[in-house]
């Protein structure tokens, strides 16, 4: 690997680390036992500007934005992480099996996946939330179903090209069955593309969760998420822009951190990077 | 020496990457109408030298010093904009892989015409006329129809001829051909190179032929320069140098060219029951685009027997069905008819574990035949998992012992990307032999390797085969390699076995016309 690429990988690590650290600081400041309570309403302090007592200001009910952002971080990233892991596990399994076995299994799965892909993801999630209900697990379930087709498509494509490699045939010739080959040779070699997909997906899911909240079908108040904080900030944008800026910046930082760290992790896991 | 001015003159050329000197003060000159072969192994700097001529060095690699003169103009002093007018127009490039040097999304005609319009003031109609004339010149029938076709519609040899047409269309002073026929079989190779020589002579262009194949240099080049580690170690009149190499390195290269050896394994007596018995084996690939198109018959009614300890060469051009034969025997493709028997037992699909335990395969491309994430010792030990009574430690010990046997002792903990192509192929051989199989199918195991490495792998395979007595089905398009290692040969064309018998006899006195053409097309000393 050339020096230029190494330094880009290093830069990813630094920038991603910095963004993650900034978020961690926000969470620690806002969610520790000595900080403000995210649910305490103080109507005298509606839409308060940042002050010594409320560092990021207060929202339309006078609740502390720092505390709400920190609690929102835990809920939002928890939803995003669970969704990404679940969608990757299920979609990945479908993709590997369909791509490796080909034949009727592949056809059947892909018809189903294509049908799901035909709906815009957010529309699908909206419909599913209506079914599952707007609880935390309802939202995770809806978003997972919406993202499974994307993972399955990408993994199937990568598997299709892997299965033609001669080392797969070598394993077959030495008597390995399909399950062994998939677990031993296909899955580890998918790590690179899947990791990139997972990190991008983390960002998309965060935004989808925000969008759902924004549309009013997300986690319901008073529990804070970055999405419903953004949604709540909309009517007050002209007088209290910090209501939107703080969760907005957090979403940006989280997406950036996960993507950059994901790239760094992919480079680290690439066997060619170790000499 | 006569005083014709050189078409290309390189003097004192040095090229370096960030940490290594790749080319060290090379001097070269090619006259018009002359073919200079620049020979050497991978990493010798021959391609870098050629790329420097058109200022197309890969990123991170730069020219340190030296001058490159094309018909008197110093290319190293030229601005980028002027260089673009030199590339294609005055210097034509023919590259190894014709499928990637032609744009797959553009019709052939548009690609040819575009280049002409870019470099010359012509109307579209005139450019089209010139393109058609040129295609007819490279003996392509129905050039009109071809202009409307896309590159994927042609075979490798045909694409390379189209490439030649597009290069010579601009009447360049210099042609740089970088391993132009390495991806082609012997027959297509001959066709393409004969054509290149002819076009070069007619147009008066100088040709710089980059190759690792000395037999090719011997056949086609006027002069030869041998490169090693960035230095030209020997140069002169091609046939004179190759007949009597003065430098030890050149001698080593010449010795690595495979040739018929009397030491080839004597054919074991064909008595008793055959180990492998193939009868009427046919394989059809279903046609794409519905039932109206006939299925492609890749293997057509092939029958032969192989006895224990035999080294059988299967030789043929691309598309002859030789690879399909190996894959059908191993059960990687389903036959449409016919049967395969192994130690008398008929084989079914999928192949039984008992068959897998006694047969193995070595693949062509050492870069894709090893799992990039598995250590070498694990890669070699993997097949042993099917031996029930071995512990993990015993498997590793056996893998390490075999790695040592193939000359890679102490390499067990490394990953494939840390190895050269030849080393990887040694690992693949170790993996194939770890369960001590009775039958090994080797599908073009040396065709992706340098000449000297090829020779080493052939010798290794031969030695191991003699020692362990397995039957080897050695598939290759390289007649010389087959002649060197095989005792018996099957010659394949169009999915059929057209000739079979003792390898030495067949190639000395070919009976079938295809065998004759193949023998004639294979360059040799």
């Amino acid at each position: 690997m050339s020096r230029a690429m190494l330094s880009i990988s290093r830069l990813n690590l630094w920038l991603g680390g910095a963004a993650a650290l900034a978020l961690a600081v926000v969470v620690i400041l806002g969610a520790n036992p000595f900080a403000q309570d995210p649910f305490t309403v103080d109507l005298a302090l509606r839409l308060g500007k940042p002050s010594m007592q409320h560092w990021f200001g207060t929202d339309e009910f006078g609740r502390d934005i720092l505390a709400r952002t920190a609690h929102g971080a835990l809920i939002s990233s928890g939803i995003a992480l669970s969704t990404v892991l679940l969608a990757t596990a299920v979609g990945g399994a479908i993709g590997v099996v369909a791509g490796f076995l080909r034949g009727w299994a592949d056809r059947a799965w892909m018809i189903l996946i294509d049908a799901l892909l035909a709906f815009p993801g957010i529309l699908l999630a909206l419909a599913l939330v209506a079914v599952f209900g707007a609880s935390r697990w309802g939202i995770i379930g809806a978003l997972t179903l919406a993202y499974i087709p994307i993972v399955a498509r990408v993994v199937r494509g990568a598997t299709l090209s892997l299965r033609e490699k001669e080392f797969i045939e070598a394993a077959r010739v030495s008597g390995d069955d399909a399950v062994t080959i998939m677990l031993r040779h296909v899955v580890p070699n998918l790590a690179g593309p899947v990791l990139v997909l997972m990190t991008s997906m983390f960002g998309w899911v965060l935004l989808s969760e925000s969008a759902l909240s924004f549309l009013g079908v997300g986690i319901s108040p008073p529990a804070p998420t970055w999405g419903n904080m953004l949604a709540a900030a909309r009517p007050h944008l002209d007088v209290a822009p910090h209501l939107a800026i703080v969760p907005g910046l957090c979403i940006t930082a989280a997406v950036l951190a996960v993507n950059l760290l994901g790239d760094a992790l992919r480079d680290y896991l690439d066997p060619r990077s170790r000499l | 020496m006569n005083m014709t001015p050189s078409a290309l003159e390189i003097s004192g050329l040095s090229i370096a990457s960030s940490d290594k000197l790749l080319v060290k003060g090379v001097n070269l000159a090619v006259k018009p109408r002359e073919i200079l072969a620049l020979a050497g192994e991978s990493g010798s700097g021959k391609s870098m030298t050629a790329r420097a001529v058109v200022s197309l060095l890969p990123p991170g690699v730069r020219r340190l010093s030296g001058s490159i003169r094309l018909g008197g103009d110093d290319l190293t002093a030229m601005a980028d904009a002027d260089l673009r007018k030199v590339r294609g127009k005055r210097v034509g490039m023919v590259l190894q892989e014709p499928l990637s040097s032609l744009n797959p999304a553009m019709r052939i005609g548009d690609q040819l015409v575009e280049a002409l319009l870019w470099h010359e003031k012509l109307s579209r109609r005139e450019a089209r006329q010139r393109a058609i004339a040129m295609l007819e010149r490279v003996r392509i029938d129905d050039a009109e129809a071809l202009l409307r076709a896309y590159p994927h519609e042609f075979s490798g040899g045909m694409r390379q001829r189209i490439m030649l047409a597009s290069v010579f269309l601009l009447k360049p002073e210099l042609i740089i051909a970088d391993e132009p026929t390495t991806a082609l079989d012997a027959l297509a190779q001959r066709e393409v190179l004969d054509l290149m020589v002819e076009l070069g002579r007619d147009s008066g262009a100088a040709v710089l032929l980059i190759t690792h194949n000395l037999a090719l240099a011997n056949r086609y080049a006027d002069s030869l320069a041998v490169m090693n580690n960035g230095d030209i170690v020997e140069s002169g009149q091609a046939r004179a140098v190759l007949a009597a190499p003065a430098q030890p390195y050149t001698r080593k290269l010449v010795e690595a060219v495979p040739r018929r050896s009397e030491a080839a394994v004597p054919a074991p007596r064909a008595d008793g029951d055959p180990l492998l018995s193939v009868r009427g084996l046919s394989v059809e690939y279903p046609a794409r685009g519905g039932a109206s198109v006939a299925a492609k018959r890749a293997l057509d009614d092939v029958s032969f027997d192989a006895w224990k300890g035999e080294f059988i060469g299967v030789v043929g051009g691309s598309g002859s069905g030789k690879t399909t034969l190996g894959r059908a025997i191993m059960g990687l493709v389903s036959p449409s008819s016919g049967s395969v028997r192994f130690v008398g037992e008929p084989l079914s699909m999928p192949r039984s574990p008992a068959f897998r335990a006694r047969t193995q395969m070595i693949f062509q491309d050492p870069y894709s035949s090893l799992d990039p994430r598995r250590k070498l010792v694990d890669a070699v030990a993997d097949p042993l998992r099917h031996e029930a009574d071995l512990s993990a430690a015993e498997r590793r010990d056996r893998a390490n012992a075999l790695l040592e046997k193939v000359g890679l002792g102490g390499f067990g903990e490394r990953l494939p990307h840390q190895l050269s192509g030849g080393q990887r192929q040694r690992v693949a051989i170790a993996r194939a032999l770890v369960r001590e199989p009775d039958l090994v199918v080797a599908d073009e195991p040396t065709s992706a390797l340098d000449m000297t490495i090829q020779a080493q792998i052939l010798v290794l395979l031969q030695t191991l085969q003699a020692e362990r007595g397995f039957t080897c089905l050695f598939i290759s398009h390289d007649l010389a390699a087959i002649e060197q290692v095989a005792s018996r040969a099957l010659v394949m064309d169009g999915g059929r076995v057209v000739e079979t018998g003792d390898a030495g006899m067949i190639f000395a006195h070919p009976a079938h016309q295809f065998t004759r053409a193949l023998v004639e097309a294979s360059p040799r000393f």
Side-chain angles (χ1 to χ4, degrees), chain A residues 136-262:
Chain A
R136 182 190 291 214
W137 286 105
I139 289 172
I140 290 173
L143 288 175
T144 299
L145 270 178
Y147 281 97
I148 281 174
I150 299 174
V151 184
R153 267 282 166 202
V154 172
V155 168
R156 174 177 173 271
T159 306
L160 281 182
S161 81
L162 266 179
R163 79 191 287 273
E164 302 302 325
K165 293 271 166 124
E166 289 178 343
F167 67 84
I168 302 283
E169 297 211 312
R172 202 171 288 179
V173 163
S174 66
D176 286 343
D177 54 29
V179 177
T180 313
I181 296 177
M182 281 190 261
L183 291 180
R184 192 174 285 263
H185 296 294
V186 176
V187 171
N189 281 294
L190 289 171
V194 168
L195 208 61
V196 173
L197 181 68
M198 284 174 80
T199 54
S200 317
M201 223 162 50
F202 186 87
W204 302 334
V205 176
L206 263 186
L207 296 176
S208 301
E209 185 273 318
S210 309
L212 285 180
S213 298
F214 195 80
L215 293 170
V217 292
I219 298 278
S220 38
T225 73
W226 291 342
N228 70 20
M229 288 175 69
L230 265 184
R234 187 177 41 157
H236 313 290
L237 265 184
D238 46 350
V239 286
H242 60 275
L243 258 60
I245 289 173
V246 173
L249 275 180
C250 284
I251 292 174
T252 312
V255 171
L256 206 62
V258 170
N259 276 293
L260 293 176
L261 290 177

Side-chain angles (χ1 to χ4, degrees), chain A residues 43-163:
Chain A
L43 288 178
L45 255 177
R46 292 187 66 232
L47 302 175
K49 293 270 181 306
S51 63
M52 278 310 288
Q53 203 184 1
H54 302 285
W55 292 4
F56 288 177
T58 51
D59 68 4
E60 76 272 29
F61 297 116
R63 295 174 296 197
D64 183 62
I65 290 181
L66 177 59
R68 291 185 66 76
T69 307
H71 281 264
L74 298 178
I75 298 175
S76 292
S77 53
I79 289 175
L81 195 66
S82 320
T83 304
V84 167
L85 292 178
L86 281 173
T88 305
V90 179
I94 294 174
V96 168
V97 170
F100 192 79
L101 296 183
R102 304 298 310 272
W104 64 265
D106 184 27
R107 291 261 174 88
W109 278 114
M110 283 307 124
I111 286 172
L112 190 68
I113 295 294
D114 284 340
L116 282 176
L117 272 177
F119 296 101
I122 194 75
L123 212 61
L124 189 64
L126 260 177
L128 291 168
V129 169
V131 177
F132 289 131
S135 68
R136 182 190 291 214
W137 286 105
I139 289 172
I140 290 173
L143 288 175
T144 299
L145 270 178
Y147 281 97
I148 281 174
I150 299 174
V151 184
R153 267 282 166 202
V154 172
V155 168
R156 174 177 173 271
T159 306
L160 281 182
S161 81
L162 266 179
R163 79 191 287 273

